[in-house]
Amino acid sequence: MQDESKRTDSGIEVKKVYTQNDVPTHLNGTQLPGEYPYTRGVQSDMYRGKLWTMRQYAGFSTAEESNKRYHFLLAQGVMGLSVAFDLPTQIGYDADHSLADGEVGKVGVSICTLEDMDILFKDIPLDKISTSMTINSTGFILLAFYVALAKKRGIDLTLLSGTIQNDILKEYAARGTYIYPPKNSMRIITDIFEWSSTHLPKWNSISISGYHIREAGSTAVQEIAFTLSNGKAYVKAAIEKGLDINIFGKRLSFFFNAHNNLFEEVAKFRAARKMWAQIMTDLGATDPKALMLRFHTQTGGATLTAQQPMNNISRVTIQTIAAVLGGTQSLHTNGYDEALGLPTEEAAAIALKTQQVVAFESGITDTADPLAGSYFVESLTNEMEKKALELIEQIDAMGGSVAAIESGFMQNKISESAYIYQKDIEANKKIIVGVNQYQSSNDIDIPVLRIDESIRLQQIEKLKKLKAIRDENKVALCLLAIKEAAVQNTNLMPPVIEAVEQFCTLGEIADTLRSVFGEYQA
C-alpha cells in the first residue's frame, strides 16, 4: 500500500525524507543569527542574552476589574502587559451609546475617558512596564490616553515603552473593527508615526498584524504575505509623508499567530524575517535596525476547541515551542478555556507557566536558532518564502494592499482557505482531536468567566459624573481643534492629547472625525 502524500496546512508537499540536496545554497547555514537578512534571528545570542517578553493579553469588565487581573499577572511573573479592549472602545463608541448595548466590558475592558485609563493602570509604573494595546481604529485615542496619563503622573515620555497595534489594513481584510475609509485611516497612522518618532523614542507605533488574518482562516503563507504587504503599504505612506525610513523603520513591529503545524510555523517566522529585510532594503532602508523584523506572537485562538478543552493546554504548548524556535520577541499564550469564554485566573496562570516551563526547563533557549541546518526546516523556509512572494507580487500588480483590499482580493483568498480547511475537517482529512476523532462523552465542568450586564450601567454612571464636573467650553474648543486639524491635514496627535486631558471622551473624539472623514462601508 502506497503512503498518502503529506502537505502542510499551506498546501506545501512534505517529502518522506530530506537531504542536503533539498537545502538551497543560500540557506546552507553560513549566515549567523543577528546578521542580515536575519533569517536566523535578530540577535546574535537570541535568548541566551535576553528571553522574550512574557505577556498575557487581558482586559474585561471595568478598569477596576482589569487592574486587579494585571496585578495578579505581574505577581505571577509576566514581564509586560497586553491590554484587550471591548468592542465599543475598539470602534469608537462610549458605553452610553445605543450601539454599545450588550457589548460593554464583554471581550475586553471598557475605556471611555482618561479617568478610566488612570484606574486601569493604578499602582502600575508606566516607566518600568512595557504595555501593548490591541487597538486599531481608535489606537490614536488610546495612545493619547496613555501619554496624558504619563504626563499627569510626571513621567518622562521618553521612558515609555510598548506598542499600539494600530494596523487598520488587516481590519478591512479580516476583522472588521474599522471606522473611517482606508485613505483617512492611513493618514491617522502616519500622523502617529510622525508624532511618536519625536516624542516616544522607545514606543512601537504599529504592530503590523497577521494574527487576525490567520484567525479569519488564512494559511500560514497567506498570513506572512498579506501582513508584509500591509507593512509595505504603511512604509510607503510614511515615506510619502516625508518621514525617514531609517528612523520610523526601527519602531515598526509585527504580530503573528502560532498554530499547531510545528515546523511550518517555525519556517514561517524565519521566512518572514528574511523577506522583510529585503523589502525594507528595496524601499531604501540602510540602518540594520530598520531592516529587522521584530514580532510578538500569540498562540492560535482559532485552534482552541470547546470539546475536551483540557487538550488545549497541549496545543498551546506546541504553539509556544513554535514561537520560541521561530525567534519571537514577545509572546502571549492562550488559556485552555478561551473557546468557552474569557480566561479565568487559573487558565491564565497555566498559560503563563507554559511559557516559563519552555523558557527554563526545555533547553530550547540555550542556543540561537536551534533548528538551523535541518534539511526539512531550511527547505520549508525557502518554500514559504517563495509562495509568499508570489502572493505579494500579485498584490503589487494591483497597486498594493489598499487596492487589493478594496477589490476584495485578500478577503476572498482568506475565505477560500477557511472553506477548504473546514471541508477537510468535516471529511476527516484533517484530524482535530476530540472534535472529529477521539471524541468523549465524559463532560468536564469547566468554570467560565461571565461579565454581568450591570457593567454598562456602572460605566454610564461614571460618564455622567465626569461630564457634570468637566469644563464644557474647553471640551468644545478641543473638539473643534481636532476637526480643524483633520480638515487642514495637520498632525492629529497634539489636539487629541489636549482633548483627552480636558476629559473629552473616546466617543466624542471618534465622532468628531466621523463628521469629517465619514464611515467606511465594505
Side-chain angles (χ1 to χ4, degrees), residues 126-315:
L126 303 187
D127 53 342
K128 294 181 174 63
I129 289 290
S130 168
T131 301
S132 172
M133 294 187 279
T134 302
I135 195 77
N136 297 284
S137 59
T138 54
F140 66 106
I141 306 175
L142 272 300
L143 179 60
F145 283 147
Y146 200 81
V147 167
L149 179 58
K151 289 172 65 178
K152 179 183 174 184
R153 295 182 181 178
I155 295 171
D156 184 347
L157 298 186
T158 64
L159 299 178
L160 297 182
S161 64
T163 305
I164 47 170
Q165 191 163 104
N166 196 29
D167 174 6
I168 201 64
L169 290 179
K170 67 94 174 49
E171 296 296 328
Y172 302 112
R175 192 161 173 266
T177 64
Y178 46 74
I179 303 175
Y180 314 111
K183 288 185 174 66
N184 303 112
S185 294
M186 292 292 282
R187 174 261 171 99
I188 294 172
I189 287 169
T190 55
D191 279 359
I192 295 169
F193 285 0
E194 182 179 52
W195 188 86
S196 298
S197 65
T198 304
H199 297 88
L200 301 175
K202 294 173 68 177
W203 193 267
N204 297 321
S205 51
I206 194 168
S207 177
I208 305 159
S209 176
Y211 183 84
H212 303 99
I213 290 170
R214 191 68 177 281
E215 289 292 285
S218 81
T219 65
V221 164
Q222 289 168 346
E223 180 187 353
I224 55 171
F226 296 161
T227 305
L228 299 188
S229 181
N230 289 347
K232 281 178 69 173
Y234 293 126
V235 171
K236 288 181 176 180
I239 291 171
E240 288 172 9
K241 197 177 179 74
L243 303 183
D244 185 341
I245 190 172
N246 284 317
I247 295 176
F248 75 80
K250 297 176 188 177
R251 304 316 308 168
L252 303 177
S253 65
F254 288 79
F255 174 25
F256 290 119
N257 212 315
H259 276 214
N260 293 327
N261 194 314
L262 178 66
F263 295 109
E264 180 174 53
E265 294 300 302
V266 174
K268 176 187 77 179
F269 298 131
R270 299 173 88 249
R273 269 195 299 270
K274 181 174 184 289
M275 291 167 65
W276 186 246
Q278 186 61 58
I279 287 169
M280 289 295 276
T281 300
D282 293 343
L283 291 171
T286 55
D287 189 308
K289 289 189 176 178
L291 304 175
M292 294 178 181
L293 183 147
R294 297 167 299 112
F295 65 98
H296 170 72
T297 308
Q298 181 172 337
T299 57
T303 69
L304 303 178
T305 64
Q307 302 93 329
Q308 301 178 19
M310 300 304 288
N311 293 344
N312 294 328
I313 296 175
S314 299
R315 294 185 177 103

Side-chain angles (χ1 to χ4, degrees), residues 255-463:
F255 174 25
F256 290 119
N257 212 315
H259 276 214
N260 293 327
N261 194 314
L262 178 66
F263 295 109
E264 180 174 53
E265 294 300 302
V266 174
K268 176 187 77 179
F269 298 131
R270 299 173 88 249
R273 269 195 299 270
K274 181 174 184 289
M275 291 167 65
W276 186 246
Q278 186 61 58
I279 287 169
M280 289 295 276
T281 300
D282 293 343
L283 291 171
T286 55
D287 189 308
K289 289 189 176 178
L291 304 175
M292 294 178 181
L293 183 147
R294 297 167 299 112
F295 65 98
H296 170 72
T297 308
Q298 181 172 337
T299 57
T303 69
L304 303 178
T305 64
Q307 302 93 329
Q308 301 178 19
M310 300 304 288
N311 293 344
N312 294 328
I313 296 175
S314 299
R315 294 185 177 103
V316 169
T317 302
I318 293 169
Q319 294 160 12
T320 300
I321 291 169
V324 174
L325 287 172
T328 193
Q329 276 64 65
S330 173
L331 178 61
H332 161 86
T333 34
N334 290 329
Y336 68 84
D337 56 356
E338 291 190 52
L340 302 169
L342 294 170
T344 61
E345 279 195 358
E346 180 199 42
I350 291 172
L352 176 60
K353 299 301 179 189
T354 301
Q355 294 196 51
Q356 293 167 344
V357 169
V358 170
F360 298 108
E361 298 184 29
S362 71
I364 293 172
T365 60
D366 291 348
T367 187
D369 193 20
L371 291 183
S374 157
Y375 301 146
F376 178 37
V377 171
E378 297 291 5
S379 174
L380 195 51
T381 299
N382 189 57
E383 284 295 310
M384 297 287 287
E385 178 189 7
K386 185 170 72 175
K387 289 186 176 296
L389 285 174
E390 288 172 1
L391 272 175
I392 290 175
E393 286 169 6
Q394 289 181 58
I395 293 167
D396 286 345
M398 296 175 194
S401 277
V402 175
I405 289 166
E406 288 177 338
S407 71
F409 174 79
M410 285 191 193
Q411 298 93 312
N412 290 337
K413 287 288 185 184
I414 294 168
S415 293
E416 289 169 11
S417 296
Y419 177 67
I420 291 168
Y421 187 80
Q422 186 59 36
K423 276 185 65 179
D424 285 347
I425 292 173
E426 292 175 6
N428 281 356
K429 291 181 181 178
K430 176 75 178 174
I431 303 302
I432 308 295
V433 175
V435 176
N436 60 358
Q437 289 285 320
Y438 312 112
Q439 295 102 326
S440 172
S441 58
N442 297 325
D443 293 331
I444 300 174
D445 187 22
I446 301 291
V448 177
L449 178 61
R450 302 194 186 280
I451 306 302
D452 194 277
E453 293 294 339
S454 65
I455 296 303
R456 185 180 186 227
L457 299 177
Q458 293 176 39
Q459 282 295 90
I460 290 172
E461 189 61 30
K462 281 168 64 178
L463 278 169

Side-chain angles (χ1 to χ4, degrees), residues 451-510:
I451 306 302
D452 194 277
E453 293 294 339
S454 65
I455 296 303
R456 185 180 186 227
L457 299 177
Q458 293 176 39
Q459 282 295 90
I460 290 172
E461 189 61 30
K462 281 168 64 178
L463 278 169
K464 283 180 181 177
K465 288 180 179 178
L466 181 69
K467 289 179 179 180
I469 61 172
R470 68 183 185 176
D471 188 324
E472 291 298 334
N473 289 328
K474 288 182 179 178
V475 167
L477 288 172
C478 286
L479 295 176
L480 180 61
I482 292 171
K483 188 171 186 177
E484 288 175 348
V487 172
Q488 296 168 9
N489 202 28
T490 56
N491 196 294
L492 285 164
M493 287 303 298
V496 171
I497 292 169
E498 185 175 354
V500 303
E501 289 175 329
Q502 295 300 326
F503 297 104
C504 294
T505 71
L506 173 134
E508 289 168 339
I509 295 168

